Structure formats: C-alpha cells, structure tokens
C-alpha cells in the first residue's frame, strides 16, 4: 500500500478515536449528574420522613400530658369518695370515676396506636438513612472514577493531537485536503477498503477497470458513487 495511504489511514483512526473520546466526555457528566440528582431526592425524602417523625412524637407528648391530667382528676375523684355525705352524691362521684376511667382507656388506646406509628416511622427513617449512606458512597466512588477518567481522556486527546499534527505534516497535502473536505460532510469513515469490488462505505460496486487499477495500487482513488477515498483490500473470509 502507498505510504501516503498508510498515513491517511492512521490519521483517520486517530480522528475516530478523538470523536469517541469527545462523545464519552459529553456522556460521562450526565451520568454523574443523574447520581447526584438521585442522592438529592433521597435527602429530601429523608428530611420529610424525619419531620413526620417529629410531628408524631410531639403529638404523642400532648397525649401523655392529657393522660396525666385525667389521672390527676381521677385521684381527686377517688379522694372525694371518703367525704361524700349522701348516697346521691356517692353515686355522682362513682359515675365521675367511671367516666374518667373510660376516658383513660380511650386515650391509652390512641397512645398505643401513636406508639406503633412512631415505631414504623422510626424504622422508615433508619431504612432511608441506610439507603442514603449507600447512595452517597456510590456517588463518591463514581465521581472519583469520573474525574480520573476525564484526566486520562484529556491526556489521550493531547497525545492524539500531537500525533495528528506530526502525521499531517508527513502526508501528501492534496490527499489530506480531500480527506478533510470529505470528513466535514460524512459522519462515517472517509477512507474505506474495497473488498470484492464493493466499496466499504456505500456498499456499491466499483467498475472493473477501476477495480483492476486499485488492485495494482498507485495513486489514491475515489469511489465513483460516494466519493470516499478507497483502497484495495483482500477478502479475508471469502
Ligand atoms: Zn462508495
């Protein structure tokens, strides 16, 4: 193969790698941002659950105060029993005690439900905490990996740029201009092999005369259909 061709192929593989790196550099920060976003969401939900727990505990404390007051009243009512003068008065105090006992029973029922709620909520908060800790670790690890990777890619691009500059000085300038112009318009490879008389870019046939010229080598040629720079390559899997 012509020396110029070898160089232009190296320039192409160099450029392809640069394109790959740029795509990776664009993609990677989005992945990190997604992890950070998940972490922020988890943190918000944690704050909410924690504030729910505090509300429950406050409510429960209020309930405890109510119970204390009622129990104090009950004590007083029981003390009154010793001082009653008439049966009517006695019955009234008994009724009062009965009502207070009923009230205590009801309040205790509610307090038990509150306690259950608090336990559930405490478990929820602990679970959230664990999940958050796990996500935070994952995020930190990924971020470290990401920064390391970006550093590597920057280094690689720098070396590729240096390499390309060197190659572009060595190659035939007309061929390089053709390559550069084609690359600006094509999204895929610019320099492609022709295998069994078929262009590797557009997959259309090459006229027999041109194909014979290609096999013999010589000056760089263009595909008559897609205009890509073509070279002959033997079919390795005939
Ligand atoms: Zn073609």
């Amino acid at each position: 193969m012509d020396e110029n061709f070898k160089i232009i192929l190296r320039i192409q593989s160099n450029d392809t790698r640069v394109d790959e790196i740029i795509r990776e550099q664009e993609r990677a920060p989005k992945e990190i941002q997604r992890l950070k976003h998940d972490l922020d969401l988890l943190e918000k939900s944690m704050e909410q659950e924690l504030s729910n727990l505090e509300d429950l505990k406050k409510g429960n404390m209020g309930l405890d105060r109510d119970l204390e007051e009622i129990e104090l009243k009950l004590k007083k009512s029981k003390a009154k029993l010793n001082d009653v003068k008439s049966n009517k008065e006695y019955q009234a105090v008994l009724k009062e005690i009965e009502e207070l006992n009923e009230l205590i029973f009801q309040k205790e029922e509610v307090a038990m439900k509150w306690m259950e709620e608090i336990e559930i909520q405490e478990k929820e908060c602990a679970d959230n905490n664990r999940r958050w800790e796990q996500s935070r670790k994952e995020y930190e690890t990924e971020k470290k990996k990401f920064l390391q990777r970006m550093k590597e890619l920057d280094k690689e691009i720098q070396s590729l740029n240096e390499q390309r500059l060197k190659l572009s000085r060595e190659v035939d300038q007309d061929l390089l201009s053709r390559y550069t112009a084609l690359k600006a318009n094509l999204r895929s490879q610019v320099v492609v092999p022709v295998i069994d008389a078929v262009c590797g870019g557009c997959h259309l046939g090459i006229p027999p005369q041109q194909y014979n010229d290609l096999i013999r080598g010589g000056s760089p040629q263009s595909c008559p259909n897609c205009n890509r720079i073509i070279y002959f390559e033997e079919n390795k899997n005939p």
Side-chain angles (χ1 to χ4, degrees):
M1 194 192 289
D2 182 71
E3 193 55 36
N4 273 313
F5 243 105
K6 283 182 189 160
I7 302 175
I8 207 78
L9 272 176
R10 281 174 67 192
I11 289 180
Q12 173 165 267
S13 69
N14 196 309
D15 288 351
T16 304
R17 179 65 193 135
V18 169
D19 289 345
E20 266 172 25
I21 292 176
I22 290 170
R23 272 200 299 276
E24 189 178 338
Q25 281 177 330
E26 282 167 356
R27 201 172 48 231
K30 283 185 197 135
E31 189 58 23
I32 289 293
Q33 276 162 11
R34 190 186 60 77
L35 283 175
K36 179 79 174 83
H37 179 69
D38 288 354
L39 193 65
D40 288 345
L41 280 184
L42 211 54
E43 220 160 291
K44 255 195 205 120
S45 122
M46 262 171 76
E47 278 167 20
Q48 186 56 49
E49 299 285 1
L50 213 60
S51 125
N52 288 351
L53 179 63
E54 269 165 30
D55 287 348
L56 280 174
K57 281 182 174 170
K58 259 184 226 158
N60 197 44
M61 261 156 41
L63 216 55
D64 282 347
R65 272 196 302 276
D66 287 355
L67 261 173
E68 273 170 33
E69 273 172 35
I70 300 165
E71 268 161 8
L72 204 68
K73 274 186 201 160
L74 183 64
K75 224 174 176 179
K76 280 181 191 161
S77 296
K78 279 179 179 169
K80 264 196 276 181
L81 273 182
N82 299 323
D83 304 327
V84 287
K85 304 282 186 286
S86 65
N87 188 44
K88 199 181 159 198
E89 205 181 330
Y90 184 75
Q91 291 303 328
V93 176
L94 273 189
K95 194 166 180 286
E96 201 177 282
I97 289 171
E98 197 186 321
E99 277 169 5
L100 285 170
N101 272 328
E102 178 58 27
L103 199 57
I104 287 171
F105 177 76
Q106 283 170 6
K107 291 266 177 195
E108 275 174 349
E109 286 267 285
V110 176
M112 221 143 75
K113 286 215 176 77
W114 275 95
M115 284 309 292
E116 277 168 20
E117 281 292 316
I118 286 173
E119 257 174 52
I120 291 169
Q121 194 62 28
E122 270 174 344
K123 196 181 167 299
E124 186 66 32
C125 282
D127 286 350
N128 261 338
N129 217 32
R130 252 196 313 277
R131 272 199 292 272
W132 177 78
E133 194 59 42
Q134 207 175 344
S135 291
R136 194 187 58 84
K137 264 187 206 150
E138 194 189 337
Y139 168 69
E140 295 294 342
T141 311
E142 287 304 315
K143 195 175 153 190
K144 213 183 265 176
K145 261 199 252 169
F146 160 74
L147 291 175
Q148 179 60 29
R149 182 79 184 131
M150 288 296 116
K151 224 187 257 175
E152 282 166 14
L153 291 179
D154 280 345
K155 235 182 188 170
E156 195 183 343
I157 276 216
Q158 201 183 338
S159 135
L160 285 166
N161 284 341
E162 281 164 17
Q163 187 68 15
R164 195 192 198 280
L165 192 66
K166 199 169 151 277
L167 290 169
S168 66
R169 280 182 188 138
E170 290 168 5
V171 77
D172 175 72
Q173 294 305 296
D174 285 343
L175 185 60
L176 182 62
S177 312
R178 264 171 72 190
Y179 170 83
T180 310
L182 280 166
K183 192 177 186 304
N185 292 318
L186 289 169
R187 280 181 187 190
S188 51
Q189 302 287 79
V190 170
V191 190
V192 293
V194 170
I195 300 169
D196 290 342
V198 172
C199 166
C202 63
H203 305 291
L204 293 174
I206 305 292
Q209 183 55 47
Q210 194 182 5
Y211 185 53
N212 284 337
D213 288 347
L214 266 185
I215 295 173
R216 273 198 297 274
S219 61
Q221 300 202 28
S222 298
C223 168
N225 306 301
C226 68
N227 219 25
R228 283 181 175 87
I229 303 167
I230 49 176
Y231 62 95
F232 169 73
E233 195 176 287
E234 220 159 318
N235 190 347
K236 285 161 194 128
N237 313 296

